Amino acid sequence: MKSTLQRNPHSWFFLCLCLVLTVFITPTVTAQGTSTVAVEIDTFQIKIGEQVQYKITVETDSLNLVYFPEDQTFSPMEMVEALKIDTTKKKDRITLQRIYALTQFDSGSYTIPPQRIAINEEPFLTDSFKIRVADVAVDTTKQKLYDIKPLIQVERNYAKIWQWIIAILFALVIIGGLVYWFFFRPKPLTEEEKVALLPPYDRALLQLQELEKSRYLIQDEFKKYYSELTNIVRSYLEEEVHISAMESTTDQLIERLELLKDAGELQLEDETISQFKKVLQTADLVKFAKSKPAVSVAEENRRSVEFVVVKTKEALPEPEEEDRLQDESYLEELERKRLKKRIWTAAAVFAGLIVLGIGTSIGIYGFKDVKDTVLRHPTKRLLEGEWIMSSYGYPPVEVETPEVLLRKELGEFNPADSIQSAQAFGMTNEAGLFSISVSSLSYSNGKPLDFEKAVEAVLLKLEERGAKNLIAKNEEAFTKTGVQGLKTFGSYQMKMPDSNKNIRTKYTVFLYGGVGFQQQIMLTWLDGDEYAEQIVQRIAASIDVKTQA
């Protein structure tokens, strides 16, 4: 080496250049401008379920904005946790460091794809890494192996139902409280209501006292004064003596009082009746002839009316028990009518609130959506329910469904089909005429899957079940991880269960497979059911399959 370097002086320069490149260029660092991005992992091999620490380090200007990877960008590795960003600042430079915990639950060799880091919206890409995930060795001499346990029926989770019940009860309590507050709550009586509830005698005396305190006479309003004076006494006589006093003339009223006196039903003296007649005549002159008596006469007339009220009360016979019972019955009936009126008013307000709420909901969401929500449309309930992501069969089919798919019996197979093993799972919503079925088949012939024959077998089974006027179309299908398969879709006519009515049913079949195995997802639903269409789209977007049998 020495002699070679001496013979070729440029070898020293070449050796130094190699050393510089070795020190400053590494496969895990990407640099651009004044920013540097470095990435490293703590191991290249893990066991199933263990974690890889994936660390990204960014050195840049302190004023730059840095965006780290988010969500599941490490697929096929699964991100378990993203730790908080560790920040170190030195003068006008800043160092950001973030660690991601990655794992995988299937053995094999996986590649962590390049990650994109943006600095002031300028992209930086890291290098990829290959990770080996090894099986966990099991000593079968010490640890026995058991068959896979069958599916068991799990009790329904009522947590959300209880939340709905509590919310509805809370709303009903609020509505009930509002109805009670505005309609059934004993409200404070106004002064007029308090006066109206008094017995006729007490009410008449109270009104006469208030008339005495009024300013009618001071303001020279004699007509109003006498009108109110005669109304008080006439109302009292009509209620207590039970005569038509309000609509009677002065002579008619006096004549009726005298008839009652002569009949012995009203023990009034002639002088009292005569005095009362003078007051009524004076009131008639004031109201109709515009007469204006002296103030002292008006005040004396008020006292005369009060005297008439008192004497009339004393002259009335004590009510018999039957009359009292009738009065009590009348009051009870009156109270029942008031209560009934309040109940009808409250019911009308409650119905109005419901109609207003439904009308507002229809205006916002549309009639069909509100109708299907209130009437609990079966496929709408499936769409808005709690979905489950799970794997079925072997080779496994991963799919998200509105309900857990239960194992189904496939029956016996034709030996010519060379079926080694078969698992099938499914669910059917009879109310919504919606069904899902997932199956995995393994063959012993070791041949690649013939998609055309598989499609023909599916269509033949539909015809055997009663499908008529069957329409079928084929197109390529891809899972969410890019596995290619075949999608067969269309429609057919079939009789409704327990009916002779024909309905149009739509179907979609996803077929995947390879050498010695087949995976199938089949969905059927009522034509025109928009909620079922959304369910199918969501299921199709969630499908993933393993292509290793």
Side-chain angles (χ1 to χ4, degrees), residues 145-178:
L145 298 178
Y146 300 94
D147 291 335
I148 298 174
K149 292 184 178 181
L151 293 174
I152 60 174
Q153 189 69 29
V154 180
E155 292 185 3
R156 186 180 179 88
N157 187 358
Y158 293 99
K160 286 192 174 181
I161 296 178
W162 279 111
Q163 292 177 3
W164 275 102
I165 292 175
I166 292 173
I168 292 172
L169 289 176
F170 183 71
L172 290 177
V173 168
I174 292 177
I175 294 173
L178 293 174

PDB file of all heavy atoms in Angstrom, residues 145-178:
ATOM      1  N   LEU A 145     -51.358 -28.215  22.824  1.00  0.00           N
ATOM      2  CA  LEU A 145     -52.067 -27.429  21.834  1.00  0.00           C
ATOM      3  C   LEU A 145     -53.546 -27.782  21.873  1.00  0.00           C
ATOM      4  O   LEU A 145     -53.908 -28.944  22.065  1.00  0.00           O
ATOM      5  CB  LEU A 145     -51.504 -27.694  20.432  1.00  0.00           C
ATOM      6  CG  LEU A 145     -50.030 -27.325  20.227  1.00  0.00           C
ATOM      7  CD1 LEU A 145     -49.592 -27.680  18.809  1.00  0.00           C
ATOM      8  CD2 LEU A 145     -49.818 -25.842  20.488  1.00  0.00           C
ATOM      9  N   TYR A 146     -54.374 -26.791  21.710  1.00  0.00           N
ATOM     10  CA  TYR A 146     -55.823 -26.992  21.777  1.00  0.00           C
ATOM     11  C   TYR A 146     -56.452 -26.469  20.494  1.00  0.00           C
ATOM     12  O   TYR A 146     -55.924 -25.573  19.830  1.00  0.00           O
ATOM     13  CB  TYR A 146     -56.419 -26.250  22.988  1.00  0.00           C
ATOM     14  CG  TYR A 146     -55.852 -26.715  24.311  1.00  0.00           C
ATOM     15  CD1 TYR A 146     -54.774 -26.053  24.894  1.00  0.00           C
ATOM     16  CD2 TYR A 146     -56.401 -27.812  24.967  1.00  0.00           C
ATOM     17  CE1 TYR A 146     -54.250 -26.479  26.103  1.00  0.00           C
ATOM     18  CE2 TYR A 146     -55.884 -28.237  26.183  1.00  0.00           C
ATOM     19  CZ  TYR A 146     -54.811 -27.571  26.754  1.00  0.00           C
ATOM     20  OH  TYR A 146     -54.295 -27.977  27.941  1.00  0.00           O
ATOM     21  N   ASP A 147     -57.603 -27.013  20.182  1.00  0.00           N
ATOM     22  CA  ASP A 147     -58.351 -26.535  19.016  1.00  0.00           C
ATOM     23  C   ASP A 147     -58.868 -25.126  19.278  1.00  0.00           C
ATOM     24  O   ASP A 147     -59.013 -24.703  20.428  1.00  0.00           O
ATOM     25  CB  ASP A 147     -59.537 -27.463  18.724  1.00  0.00           C
ATOM     26  CG  ASP A 147     -59.069 -28.814  18.214  1.00  0.00           C
ATOM     27  OD1 ASP A 147     -57.961 -28.870  17.653  1.00  0.00           O
ATOM     28  OD2 ASP A 147     -59.808 -29.803  18.411  1.00  0.00           O
ATOM     29  N   ILE A 148     -59.151 -24.433  18.196  1.00  0.00           N
ATOM     30  CA  ILE A 148     -59.733 -23.103  18.321  1.00  0.00           C
ATOM     31  C   ILE A 148     -61.123 -23.227  18.933  1.00  0.00           C
ATOM     32  O   ILE A 148     -61.942 -24.047  18.508  1.00  0.00           O
ATOM     33  CB  ILE A 148     -59.816 -22.423  16.945  1.00  0.00           C
ATOM     34  CG1 ILE A 148     -58.407 -22.253  16.366  1.00  0.00           C
ATOM     35  CG2 ILE A 148     -60.522 -21.075  17.040  1.00  0.00           C
ATOM     36  CD1 ILE A 148     -58.397 -21.722  14.955  1.00  0.00           C
ATOM     37  N   LYS A 149     -61.378 -22.406  19.926  1.00  0.00           N
ATOM     38  CA  LYS A 149     -62.676 -22.467  20.598  1.00  0.00           C
ATOM     39  C   LYS A 149     -63.773 -21.960  19.666  1.00  0.00           C
ATOM     40  O   LYS A 149     -63.557 -21.033  18.895  1.00  0.00           O
ATOM     41  CB  LYS A 149     -62.652 -21.632  21.875  1.00  0.00           C
ATOM     42  CG  LYS A 149     -61.751 -22.226  22.959  1.00  0.00           C
ATOM     43  CD  LYS A 149     -61.850 -21.418  24.239  1.00  0.00           C
ATOM     44  CE  LYS A 149     -60.995 -22.055  25.326  1.00  0.00           C
ATOM     45  NZ  LYS A 149     -61.090 -21.295  26.599  1.00  0.00           N
ATOM     46  N   PRO A 150     -64.941 -22.575  19.740  1.00  0.00           N
ATOM     47  CA  PRO A 150     -66.043 -22.114  18.877  1.00  0.00           C
ATOM     48  C   PRO A 150     -66.566 -20.754  19.325  1.00  0.00           C
ATOM     49  O   PRO A 150     -66.305 -20.307  20.444  1.00  0.00           O
ATOM     50  CB  PRO A 150     -67.112 -23.202  19.073  1.00  0.00           C
ATOM     51  CG  PRO A 150     -66.833 -23.749  20.438  1.00  0.00           C
ATOM     52  CD  PRO A 150     -65.335 -23.700  20.602  1.00  0.00           C
ATOM     53  N   LEU A 151     -67.317 -20.124  18.437  1.00  0.00           N
ATOM     54  CA  LEU A 151     -67.930 -18.838  18.782  1.00  0.00           C
ATOM     55  C   LEU A 151     -68.993 -19.039  19.860  1.00  0.00           C
ATOM     56  O   LEU A 151     -69.724 -20.036  19.853  1.00  0.00           O
ATOM     57  CB  LEU A 151     -68.582 -18.202  17.553  1.00  0.00           C
ATOM     58  CG  LEU A 151     -67.630 -17.759  16.447  1.00  0.00           C
ATOM     59  CD1 LEU A 151     -68.428 -17.282  15.247  1.00  0.00           C
ATOM     60  CD2 LEU A 151     -66.721 -16.650  16.934  1.00  0.00           C
ATOM     61  N   ILE A 152     -69.031 -18.128  20.785  1.00  0.00           N
ATOM     62  CA  ILE A 152     -70.034 -18.183  21.843  1.00  0.00           C
ATOM     63  C   ILE A 152     -70.908 -16.933  21.765  1.00  0.00           C
ATOM     64  O   ILE A 152     -70.468 -15.890  21.291  1.00  0.00           O
ATOM     65  CB  ILE A 152     -69.382 -18.293  23.246  1.00  0.00           C
ATOM     66  CG1 ILE A 152     -68.490 -17.076  23.517  1.00  0.00           C
ATOM     67  CG2 ILE A 152     -68.605 -19.579  23.376  1.00  0.00           C
ATOM     68  CD1 ILE A 152     -67.928 -17.042  24.932  1.00  0.00           C
ATOM     69  N   GLN A 153     -72.134 -17.074  22.225  1.00  0.00           N
ATOM     70  CA  GLN A 153     -73.057 -15.957  22.222  1.00  0.00           C
ATOM     71  C   GLN A 153     -72.701 -14.996  23.356  1.00  0.00           C
ATOM     72  O   GLN A 153     -72.627 -15.396  24.513  1.00  0.00           O
ATOM     73  CB  GLN A 153     -74.499 -16.458  22.412  1.00  0.00           C
ATOM     74  CG  GLN A 153     -75.542 -15.386  22.202  1.00  0.00           C
ATOM     75  CD  GLN A 153     -75.644 -14.956  20.748  1.00  0.00           C
ATOM     76  OE1 GLN A 153     -75.385 -15.744  19.852  1.00  0.00           O
ATOM     77  NE2 GLN A 153     -75.999 -13.714  20.525  1.00  0.00           N
ATOM     78  N   VAL A 154     -72.457 -13.752  23.012  1.00  0.00           N
ATOM     79  CA  VAL A 154     -72.083 -12.744  24.000  1.00  0.00           C
ATOM     80  C   VAL A 154     -73.307 -11.894  24.314  1.00  0.00           C
ATOM     81  O   VAL A 154     -74.092 -11.551  23.412  1.00  0.00           O
ATOM     82  CB  VAL A 154     -70.936 -11.852  23.466  1.00  0.00           C
ATOM     83  CG1 VAL A 154     -70.550 -10.799  24.495  1.00  0.00           C
ATOM     84  CG2 VAL A 154     -69.738 -12.717  23.123  1.00  0.00           C
ATOM     85  N   GLU A 155     -73.486 -11.583  25.581  1.00  0.00           N
ATOM     86  CA  GLU A 155     -74.623 -10.756  25.967  1.00  0.00           C
ATOM     87  C   GLU A 155     -74.511  -9.376  25.329  1.00  0.00           C
ATOM     88  O   GLU A 155     -73.429  -8.820  25.192  1.00  0.00           O
ATOM     89  CB  GLU A 155     -74.691 -10.608  27.491  1.00  0.00           C
ATOM     90  CG  GLU A 155     -75.033 -11.910  28.194  1.00  0.00           C
ATOM     91  CD  GLU A 155     -75.213 -11.685  29.692  1.00  0.00           C
ATOM     92  OE1 GLU A 155     -75.134 -10.528  30.130  1.00  0.00           O
ATOM     93  OE2 GLU A 155     -75.441 -12.670  30.405  1.00  0.00           O
ATOM     94  N   ARG A 156     -75.655  -8.874  24.935  1.00  0.00           N
ATOM     95  CA  ARG A 156     -75.700  -7.567  24.279  1.00  0.00           C
ATOM     96  C   ARG A 156     -75.237  -6.472  25.231  1.00  0.00           C
ATOM     97  O   ARG A 156     -75.564  -6.501  26.423  1.00  0.00           O
ATOM     98  CB  ARG A 156     -77.128  -7.266  23.804  1.00  0.00           C
ATOM     99  CG  ARG A 156     -77.236  -5.996  22.985  1.00  0.00           C
ATOM    100  CD  ARG A 156     -78.681  -5.788  22.563  1.00  0.00           C
ATOM    101  NE  ARG A 156     -78.837  -4.561  21.801  1.00  0.00           N
ATOM    102  CZ  ARG A 156     -78.685  -4.461  20.505  1.00  0.00           C
ATOM    103  NH1 ARG A 156     -78.378  -5.532  19.804  1.00  0.00           N
ATOM    104  NH2 ARG A 156     -78.837  -3.311  19.871  1.00  0.00           N
ATOM    105  N   ASN A 157     -74.479  -5.543  24.693  1.00  0.00           N
ATOM    106  CA  ASN A 157     -74.011  -4.406  25.491  1.00  0.00           C
ATOM    107  C   ASN A 157     -75.110  -3.347  25.557  1.00  0.00           C
ATOM    108  O   ASN A 157     -75.495  -2.762  24.555  1.00  0.00           O
ATOM    109  CB  ASN A 157     -72.752  -3.816  24.847  1.00  0.00           C
ATOM    110  CG  ASN A 157     -72.127  -2.739  25.712  1.00  0.00           C
ATOM    111  OD1 ASN A 157     -72.648  -2.393  26.772  1.00  0.00           O
ATOM    112  ND2 ASN A 157     -71.004  -2.207  25.271  1.00  0.00           N
ATOM    113  N   TYR A 158     -75.632  -3.154  26.772  1.00  0.00           N
ATOM    114  CA  TYR A 158     -76.744  -2.215  26.962  1.00  0.00           C
ATOM    115  C   TYR A 158     -76.272  -0.841  27.438  1.00  0.00           C
ATOM    116  O   TYR A 158     -77.081  -0.045  27.894  1.00  0.00           O
ATOM    117  CB  TYR A 158     -77.744  -2.774  27.968  1.00  0.00           C
ATOM    118  CG  TYR A 158     -78.465  -4.002  27.451  1.00  0.00           C
ATOM    119  CD1 TYR A 158     -78.047  -5.281  27.821  1.00  0.00           C
ATOM    120  CD2 TYR A 158     -79.551  -3.880  26.608  1.00  0.00           C
ATOM    121  CE1 TYR A 158     -78.711  -6.402  27.349  1.00  0.00           C
ATOM    122  CE2 TYR A 158     -80.221  -4.996  26.135  1.00  0.00           C
ATOM    123  CZ  TYR A 158     -79.794  -6.264  26.511  1.00  0.00           C
ATOM    124  OH  TYR A 158     -80.447  -7.353  26.041  1.00  0.00           O
ATOM    125  N   ALA A 159     -74.971  -0.572  27.341  1.00  0.00           N
ATOM    126  CA  ALA A 159     -74.464   0.712  27.849  1.00  0.00           C
ATOM    127  C   ALA A 159     -75.095   1.883  27.096  1.00  0.00           C
ATOM    128  O   ALA A 159     -75.578   2.839  27.700  1.00  0.00           O
ATOM    129  CB  ALA A 159     -72.941   0.755  27.729  1.00  0.00           C
ATOM    130  N   LYS A 160     -75.136   1.794  25.756  1.00  0.00           N
ATOM    131  CA  LYS A 160     -75.703   2.898  24.984  1.00  0.00           C
ATOM    132  C   LYS A 160     -77.211   3.009  25.187  1.00  0.00           C
ATOM    133  O   LYS A 160     -77.768   4.093  25.175  1.00  0.00           O
ATOM    134  CB  LYS A 160     -75.384   2.708  23.498  1.00  0.00           C
ATOM    135  CG  LYS A 160     -73.939   2.991  23.142  1.00  0.00           C
ATOM    136  CD  LYS A 160     -73.748   3.069  21.646  1.00  0.00           C
ATOM    137  CE  LYS A 160     -72.341   3.502  21.291  1.00  0.00           C
ATOM    138  NZ  LYS A 160     -72.126   3.615  19.836  1.00  0.00           N
ATOM    139  N   ILE A 161     -77.870   1.831  25.368  1.00  0.00           N
ATOM    140  CA  ILE A 161     -79.318   1.874  25.597  1.00  0.00           C
ATOM    141  C   ILE A 161     -79.622   2.625  26.878  1.00  0.00           C
ATOM    142  O   ILE A 161     -80.532   3.454  26.942  1.00  0.00           O
ATOM    143  CB  ILE A 161     -79.892   0.448  25.640  1.00  0.00           C
ATOM    144  CG1 ILE A 161     -79.715  -0.230  24.271  1.00  0.00           C
ATOM    145  CG2 ILE A 161     -81.355   0.455  26.062  1.00  0.00           C
ATOM    146  CD1 ILE A 161     -80.199  -1.645  24.212  1.00  0.00           C
ATOM    147  N   TRP A 162     -78.822   2.350  27.931  1.00  0.00           N
ATOM    148  CA  TRP A 162     -79.027   3.061  29.191  1.00  0.00           C
ATOM    149  C   TRP A 162     -78.763   4.553  29.030  1.00  0.00           C
ATOM    150  O   TRP A 162     -79.434   5.384  29.645  1.00  0.00           O
ATOM    151  CB  TRP A 162     -78.128   2.464  30.276  1.00  0.00           C
ATOM    152  CG  TRP A 162     -78.699   1.230  30.882  1.00  0.00           C
ATOM    153  CD1 TRP A 162     -78.256  -0.052  30.756  1.00  0.00           C
ATOM    154  CD2 TRP A 162     -79.875   1.152  31.712  1.00  0.00           C
ATOM    155  NE1 TRP A 162     -79.060  -0.917  31.442  1.00  0.00           N
ATOM    156  CE2 TRP A 162     -80.065  -0.209  32.045  1.00  0.00           C
ATOM    157  CE3 TRP A 162     -80.787   2.088  32.182  1.00  0.00           C
ATOM    158  CZ2 TRP A 162     -81.121  -0.644  32.841  1.00  0.00           C
ATOM    159  CZ3 TRP A 162     -81.836   1.660  32.984  1.00  0.00           C
ATOM    160  CH2 TRP A 162     -82.000   0.317  33.308  1.00  0.00           C
ATOM    161  N   GLN A 163     -77.791   4.906  28.211  1.00  0.00           N
ATOM    162  CA  GLN A 163     -77.532   6.323  27.966  1.00  0.00           C
ATOM    163  C   GLN A 163     -78.743   6.976  27.303  1.00  0.00           C
ATOM    164  O   GLN A 163     -79.141   8.095  27.678  1.00  0.00           O
ATOM    165  CB  GLN A 163     -76.296   6.482  27.084  1.00  0.00           C
ATOM    166  CG  GLN A 163     -74.993   6.081  27.777  1.00  0.00           C
ATOM    167  CD  GLN A 163     -73.801   6.178  26.842  1.00  0.00           C
ATOM    168  OE1 GLN A 163     -73.916   6.588  25.696  1.00  0.00           O
ATOM    169  NE2 GLN A 163     -72.640   5.773  27.324  1.00  0.00           N
ATOM    170  N   TRP A 164     -79.347   6.278  26.335  1.00  0.00           N
ATOM    171  CA  TRP A 164     -80.541   6.815  25.686  1.00  0.00           C
ATOM    172  C   TRP A 164     -81.698   6.931  26.672  1.00  0.00           C
ATOM    173  O   TRP A 164     -82.436   7.922  26.670  1.00  0.00           O
ATOM    174  CB  TRP A 164     -80.937   5.914  24.510  1.00  0.00           C
ATOM    175  CG  TRP A 164     -80.203   6.233  23.250  1.00  0.00           C
ATOM    176  CD1 TRP A 164     -79.145   5.565  22.712  1.00  0.00           C
ATOM    177  CD2 TRP A 164     -80.454   7.328  22.367  1.00  0.00           C
ATOM    178  NE1 TRP A 164     -78.720   6.162  21.557  1.00  0.00           N
ATOM    179  CE2 TRP A 164     -79.509   7.252  21.307  1.00  0.00           C
ATOM    180  CE3 TRP A 164     -81.379   8.362  22.359  1.00  0.00           C
ATOM    181  CZ2 TRP A 164     -79.475   8.162  20.268  1.00  0.00           C
ATOM    182  CZ3 TRP A 164     -81.348   9.286  21.312  1.00  0.00           C
ATOM    183  CH2 TRP A 164     -80.405   9.176  20.279  1.00  0.00           C
ATOM    184  N   ILE A 165     -81.863   5.895  27.510  1.00  0.00           N
ATOM    185  CA  ILE A 165     -82.963   5.925  28.486  1.00  0.00           C
ATOM    186  C   ILE A 165     -82.790   7.096  29.442  1.00  0.00           C
ATOM    187  O   ILE A 165     -83.737   7.838  29.745  1.00  0.00           O
ATOM    188  CB  ILE A 165     -83.027   4.590  29.251  1.00  0.00           C
ATOM    189  CG1 ILE A 165     -83.469   3.463  28.307  1.00  0.00           C
ATOM    190  CG2 ILE A 165     -83.993   4.691  30.435  1.00  0.00           C
ATOM    191  CD1 ILE A 165     -83.457   2.094  28.937  1.00  0.00           C
ATOM    192  N   ILE A 166     -81.564   7.294  29.936  1.00  0.00           N
ATOM    193  CA  ILE A 166     -81.308   8.397  30.863  1.00  0.00           C
ATOM    194  C   ILE A 166     -81.553   9.737  30.182  1.00  0.00           C
ATOM    195  O   ILE A 166     -82.144  10.659  30.761  1.00  0.00           O
ATOM    196  CB  ILE A 166     -79.857   8.299  31.399  1.00  0.00           C
ATOM    197  CG1 ILE A 166     -79.718   7.071  32.311  1.00  0.00           C
ATOM    198  CG2 ILE A 166     -79.481   9.567  32.164  1.00  0.00           C
ATOM    199  CD1 ILE A 166     -78.303   6.792  32.740  1.00  0.00           C
ATOM    200  N   ALA A 167     -81.115   9.858  28.915  1.00  0.00           N
ATOM    201  CA  ALA A 167     -81.328  11.118  28.185  1.00  0.00           C
ATOM    202  C   ALA A 167     -82.812  11.388  27.979  1.00  0.00           C
ATOM    203  O   ALA A 167     -83.282  12.522  28.158  1.00  0.00           O
ATOM    204  CB  ALA A 167     -80.603  11.067  26.835  1.00  0.00           C
ATOM    205  N   ILE A 168     -83.581  10.340  27.628  1.00  0.00           N
ATOM    206  CA  ILE A 168     -85.027  10.517  27.422  1.00  0.00           C
ATOM    207  C   ILE A 168     -85.713  10.881  28.730  1.00  0.00           C
ATOM    208  O   ILE A 168     -86.572  11.774  28.773  1.00  0.00           O
ATOM    209  CB  ILE A 168     -85.636   9.236  26.811  1.00  0.00           C
ATOM    210  CG1 ILE A 168     -85.117   9.037  25.374  1.00  0.00           C
ATOM    211  CG2 ILE A 168     -87.159   9.296  26.826  1.00  0.00           C
ATOM    212  CD1 ILE A 168     -85.497   7.722  24.766  1.00  0.00           C
ATOM    213  N   LEU A 169     -85.342  10.180  29.817  1.00  0.00           N
ATOM    214  CA  LEU A 169     -85.931  10.502  31.126  1.00  0.00           C
ATOM    215  C   LEU A 169     -85.607  11.933  31.536  1.00  0.00           C
ATOM    216  O   LEU A 169     -86.465  12.649  32.071  1.00  0.00           O
ATOM    217  CB  LEU A 169     -85.422   9.512  32.179  1.00  0.00           C
ATOM    218  CG  LEU A 169     -85.957   8.077  32.074  1.00  0.00           C
ATOM    219  CD1 LEU A 169     -85.300   7.197  33.125  1.00  0.00           C
ATOM    220  CD2 LEU A 169     -87.468   8.042  32.233  1.00  0.00           C
ATOM    221  N   PHE A 170     -84.379  12.350  31.278  1.00  0.00           N
ATOM    222  CA  PHE A 170     -83.980  13.717  31.622  1.00  0.00           C
ATOM    223  C   PHE A 170     -84.808  14.728  30.831  1.00  0.00           C
ATOM    224  O   PHE A 170     -85.280  15.728  31.385  1.00  0.00           O
ATOM    225  CB  PHE A 170     -82.490  13.895  31.323  1.00  0.00           C
ATOM    226  CG  PHE A 170     -81.947  15.250  31.694  1.00  0.00           C
ATOM    227  CD1 PHE A 170     -81.788  15.609  33.022  1.00  0.00           C
ATOM    228  CD2 PHE A 170     -81.610  16.173  30.708  1.00  0.00           C
ATOM    229  CE1 PHE A 170     -81.303  16.853  33.362  1.00  0.00           C
ATOM    230  CE2 PHE A 170     -81.117  17.420  31.039  1.00  0.00           C
ATOM    231  CZ  PHE A 170     -80.970  17.760  32.381  1.00  0.00           C
ATOM    232  N   ALA A 171     -85.010  14.441  29.522  1.00  0.00           N
ATOM    233  CA  ALA A 171     -85.822  15.346  28.692  1.00  0.00           C
ATOM    234  C   ALA A 171     -87.271  15.374  29.189  1.00  0.00           C
ATOM    235  O   ALA A 171     -87.900  16.437  29.245  1.00  0.00           O
ATOM    236  CB  ALA A 171     -85.764  14.908  27.226  1.00  0.00           C
ATOM    237  N   LEU A 172     -87.814  14.201  29.563  1.00  0.00           N
ATOM    238  CA  LEU A 172     -89.183  14.161  30.065  1.00  0.00           C
ATOM    239  C   LEU A 172     -89.332  14.906  31.380  1.00  0.00           C
ATOM    240  O   LEU A 172     -90.343  15.569  31.626  1.00  0.00           O
ATOM    241  CB  LEU A 172     -89.625  12.698  30.237  1.00  0.00           C
ATOM    242  CG  LEU A 172     -89.838  11.894  28.947  1.00  0.00           C
ATOM    243  CD1 LEU A 172     -90.195  10.460  29.261  1.00  0.00           C
ATOM    244  CD2 LEU A 172     -90.948  12.525  28.105  1.00  0.00           C
ATOM    245  N   VAL A 173     -88.315  14.800  32.238  1.00  0.00           N
ATOM    246  CA  VAL A 173     -88.358  15.534  33.510  1.00  0.00           C
ATOM    247  C   VAL A 173     -88.385  17.037  33.252  1.00  0.00           C
ATOM    248  O   VAL A 173     -89.144  17.785  33.886  1.00  0.00           O
ATOM    249  CB  VAL A 173     -87.154  15.143  34.395  1.00  0.00           C
ATOM    250  CG1 VAL A 173     -87.012  16.100  35.573  1.00  0.00           C
ATOM    251  CG2 VAL A 173     -87.331  13.729  34.917  1.00  0.00           C
ATOM    252  N   ILE A 174     -87.563  17.485  32.300  1.00  0.00           N
ATOM    253  CA  ILE A 174     -87.538  18.917  31.981  1.00  0.00           C
ATOM    254  C   ILE A 174     -88.879  19.369  31.420  1.00  0.00           C
ATOM    255  O   ILE A 174     -89.443  20.396  31.830  1.00  0.00           O
ATOM    256  CB  ILE A 174     -86.401  19.213  30.981  1.00  0.00           C
ATOM    257  CG1 ILE A 174     -85.036  18.994  31.659  1.00  0.00           C
ATOM    258  CG2 ILE A 174     -86.506  20.648  30.465  1.00  0.00           C
ATOM    259  CD1 ILE A 174     -83.864  19.184  30.739  1.00  0.00           C
ATOM    260  N   ILE A 175     -89.429  18.586  30.464  1.00  0.00           N
ATOM    261  CA  ILE A 175     -90.720  18.944  29.883  1.00  0.00           C
ATOM    262  C   ILE A 175     -91.817  18.928  30.944  1.00  0.00           C
ATOM    263  O   ILE A 175     -92.664  19.826  31.016  1.00  0.00           O
ATOM    264  CB  ILE A 175     -91.066  17.981  28.723  1.00  0.00           C
ATOM    265  CG1 ILE A 175     -90.067  18.177  27.566  1.00  0.00           C
ATOM    266  CG2 ILE A 175     -92.493  18.209  28.233  1.00  0.00           C
ATOM    267  CD1 ILE A 175     -90.222  17.171  26.453  1.00  0.00           C
ATOM    268  N   GLY A 176     -91.796  17.866  31.815  1.00  0.00           N
ATOM    269  CA  GLY A 176     -92.784  17.804  32.890  1.00  0.00           C
ATOM    270  C   GLY A 176     -92.670  18.975  33.838  1.00  0.00           C
ATOM    271  O   GLY A 176     -93.685  19.527  34.285  1.00  0.00           O
ATOM    272  N   GLY A 177     -91.432  19.369  34.146  1.00  0.00           N
ATOM    273  CA  GLY A 177     -91.235  20.522  35.019  1.00  0.00           C
ATOM    274  C   GLY A 177     -91.773  21.804  34.404  1.00  0.00           C
ATOM    275  O   GLY A 177     -92.402  22.616  35.085  1.00  0.00           O
ATOM    276  N   LEU A 178     -91.544  21.974  33.095  1.00  0.00           N
ATOM    277  CA  LEU A 178     -92.046  23.172  32.421  1.00  0.00           C
ATOM    278  C   LEU A 178     -93.581  23.184  32.382  1.00  0.00           C
ATOM    279  O   LEU A 178     -94.211  24.222  32.607  1.00  0.00           O
ATOM    280  CB  LEU A 178     -91.493  23.247  30.997  1.00  0.00           C
ATOM    281  CG  LEU A 178     -89.979  23.489  30.868  1.00  0.00           C
ATOM    282  CD1 LEU A 178     -89.534  23.395  29.419  1.00  0.00           C
ATOM    283  CD2 LEU A 178     -89.595  24.845  31.455  1.00  0.00           C
TER     284      LEU A 178
END
